[in-house]
Amino acid sequence: MGNLLEKINAMSGAELFAIGCRNPEGDIVRYGSAAFRKKETGTTLLFSREGLPKVTLRFREDGQFICETCRVSDIPGDLTLEWIEPFHPVFKSDGASVFLPKHEGMLIRQPEKNLIYKEPGWHNYLIYPGYEQMQFLAYFNGDDGFYFAAHDPAGGTKSLAAKYENGSVMLMLRIFCGCRPGESYESRFETVMTDFKGGWMEAASLYRDWVEHSGYSVPKGKMPNILADSPVVLIYPVRGDGDDRGEMTENEYFPYRNAMSAVCSLADRFESKVMPLLMHWEGTAPWAPPYVWPPFGGETSLAEFRDELHRKGHYLGVYCSGTAWTQTSSILKSYSRIKQFEEEHLESEMIRGPHGEIDAYICNGPENQRIGYDMCNSRERVQEIIVDEVKKLAVFGLDYAQFFDQNLGGASHPCWSGKHGHPPVPGAWQTVNMRKLLKKLNAVKGKMVLGAESAAAEPYIGELQFNDLRFNWECSRAIPVPAYEFIYHEYINNFMGNQCRAGQDFDNEKSPENLLWRTAFAFDSGNLLSVVLKDRGHIHWGWCMKWNEPEPEQSSIITLVKNLNNARKRWPQFLQYGRMMKPKMPVSGGKWMLHLQNGTAYEFDSFFHTFWRAPDGSEALIITNFLPKRQSVQFGTDSVEIEPLSAFVQLIK
């Protein structure tokens, strides 16, 4: 044991761990391990010093280096323990890559250039479970990897991040303790570190192995019926011209039935059922949570559209905008909830920052969508409001509601209030209370499927069963990888998402195939496809792009969606119910350059390939040619000519 402890100490540099406490003024008081005296007793390390907290770390070695217990006690004075970072593994950055569990999985190359660290907390809600959907990090240098994870079946609140500093990369796992003033903390899960050989799939395999042996409560293959039809999601607004701000006059898709011609035309060309997913449909104000009902134009108008879609075998979904509170809309100036806010004393239901701040983190301000605050989802009154709104959508007969927009991954945002009944610092209580809310929603939503912006974080997969992915968000500094799908695809399928930010990141002139690339990435990852519409039923690059901007070439994206969705419907044992595996043979072929607006360019394969195992044990290699030209691809000792804009499926004996 001692040799491994010495290795971890050497790896951690100056600090083995750190803890953070809040003082009564709301400021963080930080203690690093160097401030303590260390006593080693067998497999236990005790850190103590007069006037400081006591920290106890108990280990075992079982092929992996495991911290079985992490305890912080004897909190001094009137401090409140907020978090502990039990280790700080440090590695050289030269030639290294880092895996972060954000946006379904992202690989950071050149950490000295692309690794950006921001202290988690107030106005940085980028935590697990939420924006961060999994509980593991990984470092790679060549074929040498290091896995750092919390194996916490309760899914308590954490931050998983990495920091570049002075030529080194530090992996950071912050556990939010959820304590009350003076209260001690003891972890009820294991923190795991181990070396391995390989890349992100090997790291994800280690985590998937734990998921499958952790008593994971979500059954495999029990997905909403809507997924069996593999509808293509059609995303468009009924007001405005492609953005969430500015003028919001009715457009050609309103009244709602006006869209039927475009919807049916695309359904025919895709050879598929479709699901219009409406934006700016709310009768309150666009993007003004939490209230959305009744629909703009009235229930009768939307009901006519719903009924006609259903008669043709299609589906209907709506975007909402999460659990923030809107005082006034910055889009529709006449919209105001100030009177209700004051009369119902709703200020007491809002999230508070560590210094008593009250604000909203996302899309807030006069130049954004709204002015308001974030609601604390742990409060009974807040849960009543959310349940009431979801019930209205379900009773109306919608098939899908992406209700938790801005609550990325289904996150319940941190709150530091000492008057809400929960502890005055973030912690596992957030996950517990969010699960209570989702259980209430499950009781009223009927057949309607609920979802969130970004894939549902691990603890919420069973309730948020179809979600709006965001894998493209970090392409300006990271490579998206389907780690989420590698781990959870047998439990949940999601859809490609509205591709917002694509207009900010991708150079459409230098890389005109980038929409085809993104579509193929979604398909090969096992997700359903979506397109964002501009006027005349034409497909656009993504959301938050004005309709008057040049559009992508139409025939290629339509052909690609048709061919890939047909392949998905033909091979559901792999692409709906299958398990993603590491390919069993090398796959090689041409190259393609992705150019970004910041001047960065990445060289990728000019095709995608993934390897799948069906529930019956059969296996297949799926290769997707996203380019409008034939390609020759080699796999193992064989090669194949793949038609343009199509997928090739090779069954493996």
Side-chain angles (χ1 to χ4, degrees), residues 472 499-508 514 518 541-543 545 597:
N472 65 291
Q499 299 294 292
C500 60
R501 299 194 191 178
Q504 302 173 30
D505 288 336
F506 300 106
D507 190 322
N508 297 330
N514 78 78
R518 289 181 272 134
W541 299 100
W543 182 242
M545 291 192 70
Q597 291 192 23

Side-chain angles (χ1 to χ4, degrees), residues 418-457:
K419 300 179 180 180
H420 284 182
H422 59 68
V425 293
W429 58 266
Q430 295 170 250
T431 307
V432 171
N433 291 336
M434 189 64 187
R435 280 175 158 165
K436 289 179 180 177
L437 171 58
L438 292 174
K439 184 176 181 180
K440 292 178 182 178
L441 295 180
N442 194 54
V444 302
K445 72 180 182 63
K447 295 181 179 179
M448 185 179 74
V449 180
L450 281 176
E453 180 175 11
S454 201

Side-chain angles (χ1 to χ4, degrees), residues 149-329:
H151 288 181
D152 177 10
T157 305
K158 302 172 186 70
S159 170
L160 297 104
K163 180 189 292 187
Y164 170 80
E165 206 168 66
N166 300 324
S168 297
V169 171
M170 178 189 293
L171 302 185
M172 305 176 73
L173 170 61
R174 176 172 293 186
I175 301 165
F176 288 95
C177 302
C179 293
R180 299 186 184 277
E183 191 173 48
S184 299
Y185 170 80
E186 184 170 341
S187 64
R188 300 181 183 274
F189 57 88
E190 296 179 339
T191 303
V192 178
M193 293 176 284
T194 188
D195 297 323
F196 67 92
K197 293 291 184 180
W200 70 264
M201 282 191 177
E202 283 76 13
S205 292
L206 292 170
Y207 192 73
R208 183 168 66 186
D209 288 345
W210 169 75
V211 166
E212 295 198 317
H213 294 91
S214 66
Y216 201 53
S217 60
V218 179
K220 295 180 180 180
K222 300 294 184 181
M223 301 176 193
N225 291 335
I226 189 174
L227 299 187
D229 287 329
S230 193
V232 177
V233 181
L234 310 180
I235 300 168
Y236 63 88
V238 299
R239 289 184 279 181
D241 62 349
D243 199 354
D244 283 333
R245 290 167 284 189
E247 188 64 36
M248 286 288 170
T249 54
E250 302 164 12
N251 61 40
E252 64 188 68
Y253 299 121
F254 186 84
Y256 301 97
R257 286 187 63 185
N258 282 8
M260 282 304 303
S261 175
V263 167
C264 291
S265 174
L266 286 169
D268 289 343
R269 299 180 76 180
F270 292 152
E271 298 178 357
S272 175
K273 293 184 178 182
V274 296
M275 184 176 75
L277 182 52
L278 305 181
M279 290 185 170
H280 302 168
W281 65 277
E282 308 98 311
T284 49
W287 257 238
Y291 300 108
V292 293
W293 203 258
F296 179 66
E299 291 188 39
T300 300
S301 178
L302 186 58
E304 291 174 350
F305 184 53
R306 174 203 64 200
D307 293 344
E308 192 164 353
L309 285 170
H310 287 172
R311 279 194 296 271
K312 294 181 181 295
H314 303 310
Y315 300 93
L316 178 60
V318 294
Y319 275 100
C320 300
S321 42
T323 63
W325 174 269
T326 302
Q327 287 283 69
T328 58
S329 170

Side-chain angles (χ1 to χ4, degrees), residues 350-372:
M350 303 298 141
I351 282 174
R352 292 287 180 163
H355 298 93
E357 306 96 322
I358 179 170
D359 197 359
Y361 172 51
I362 302 173
C363 302
N364 197 53
E367 302 302 320
N368 289 297
Q369 287 88 333
R370 58 182 178 253
I371 296 175

